[in-house]
Amino acid sequence: MLSTKPVGRGAQARKYDLLTALGAYALSQGKHDQRRVLRLMTLITARYNWARDELSVGGREIARMWCVDERTVKREMAYLRTRGWLVVHLQGARGRVTRYGVDWDRIIADTQPQWDAVGPDFALRMGAQDAVDTTVVPMPVKGTVVAPDVSDGTEWALAKGLMHTQDAGLYASWISGLDRAGRVGGVLTIKAPSRFHAAYVQSHLEARLLRVCRDVDSDVTEIRIVT
């Protein structure tokens, strides 16, 4: 069995294998996902500390590297977090950038369908990873909570993805039924399925939802809950 973390003897080859898996996966996807994975690969190649499992780089530097604005960086990093590929080790604060780790177990599991496309030797090497634990962690709800579709890339889709990652039980009970109704300027309008649902969210979760939305898009200044 190979270690997931690419350190020690054979680490250099392991790094190439992991990046190859990402590249092969990207090439099997549509242009939007291809671009996202290319951005992640560039970030890993340029700034990831393999030994410490740490990616510590500011949004401005990432924006310059990706040739995009900082708002796009925030949305893309949030998307990678909802995919489970990036994990926050230390949240950024004033004067300090967020420190991320890469969940290689998740990436290995997600890229596995494309290993054979690279070649049987590659699939055999990567197949030694099949001891990766893909067991779903039990949640305080019945059954598995399906993650939301974040493919449209809206601030609300990404916010729902983050809420699912942070608290699947809360997401299943109160967030999954909320839909994006529209946005004017910094005001994001969310539609609830009932008056009771809207009242509960407004009373107990509105501040948290606003924080998560601002984490994805800092231009969001207010959330309105309607029915």
Side-chain angles (χ1 to χ4, degrees), residues 143-164:
T144 300
V145 180
V146 178
D149 180 7
V150 298
S151 60
D152 64 9
T154 63
E155 73 290 284
W156 180 240
L158 295 177
K160 289 179 76 172
L162 289 179
M163 290 294 291
H164 176 273

Side-chain angles (χ1 to χ4, degrees), residues 154-156 178-192 206 209-210 213 220-227:
T154 63
E155 73 290 284
W156 180 240
L178 301 176
D179 295 318
R180 188 182 193 273
R183 177 172 171 179
V184 178
V187 181
L188 177 64
T189 302
I190 303 301
K191 186 175 182 179
E206 186 175 6
L209 289 179
L210 180 58
C213 285
V220 176
T221 58
E222 181 183 349
I223 289 182
R224 292 180 181 172
I225 312 296
V226 301
T227 57

Side-chain angles (χ1 to χ4, degrees), residues 204-223:
H204 298 86
L205 299 173
E206 186 175 6
R208 181 171 179 178
L209 289 179
L210 180 58
R211 286 196 301 272
V212 174
C213 285
R214 287 184 58 81
D215 190 32
V216 172
D217 185 343
S218 59
D219 290 338
V220 176
T221 58
E222 181 183 349
I223 289 182

Side-chain angles (χ1 to χ4, degrees), residues 47-220:
R47 292 290 181 264
Y48 181 61
N49 186 320
W50 296 88
R52 296 175 58 184
D53 181 28
E54 183 175 285
L55 182 63
S56 182
V57 56
R60 185 174 301 175
E61 185 178 353
I62 297 175
R64 185 169 60 249
M65 187 186 307
W66 288 354
C67 298
V68 297
D69 56 32
E70 292 185 56
R71 181 176 178 179
T72 299
V73 169
K74 181 170 287 190
R75 293 167 72 93
E76 291 293 273
M77 296 296 276
Y79 175 85
L80 292 170
R81 286 160 55 192
T82 63
R83 284 294 304 265
W85 289 7
L86 288 183
V87 180
V88 175
H89 284 179
L90 182 64
Q91 185 63 50
R94 187 181 298 273
R96 184 183 67 202
V97 301
T98 300
R99 285 160 47 186
Y100 297 94
V102 177
D103 189 339
W104 290 111
D105 286 355
R106 180 64 177 271
I107 289 175
I108 287 169
D110 288 350
T111 60
Q112 185 174 4
Q114 300 306 315
W115 294 351
D116 286 333
V118 179
D121 58 328
F122 180 80
L124 183 63
R125 290 198 307 273
M126 294 297 288
Q129 284 292 342
D130 58 11
V132 171
D133 184 5
T134 57
T135 303
V136 177
V137 178
M139 297 174 292
V141 291
K142 293 182 179 180
T144 300
V145 180
V146 178
D149 180 7
V150 298
S151 60
D152 64 9
T154 63
E155 73 290 284
W156 180 240
L158 295 177
K160 289 179 76 172
L162 289 179
M163 290 294 291
H164 176 273
T165 301
Q166 294 171 4
D167 191 330
L170 180 68
Y171 169 83
S173 298
W174 298 105
I175 309 303
S176 63
L178 301 176
D179 295 318
R180 188 182 193 273
R183 177 172 171 179
V184 178
V187 181
L188 177 64
T189 302
I190 303 301
K191 186 175 182 179
S194 68
R195 287 186 179 181
F196 173 77
H197 198 121
Y200 183 92
V201 171
Q202 192 163 13
S203 299
H204 298 86
L205 299 173
E206 186 175 6
R208 181 171 179 178
L209 289 179
L210 180 58
R211 286 196 301 272
V212 174
C213 285
R214 287 184 58 81
D215 190 32
V216 172
D217 185 343
S218 59
D219 290 338
V220 176

Side-chain angles (χ1 to χ4, degrees), residues 23-34 37 83 110 114:
Y25 171 82
L27 292 171
S28 71
Q29 304 300 303
K31 62 180 181 180
H32 297 298
D33 282 332
Q34 284 182 3
V37 179
R83 284 294 304 265
D110 288 350
Q114 300 306 315

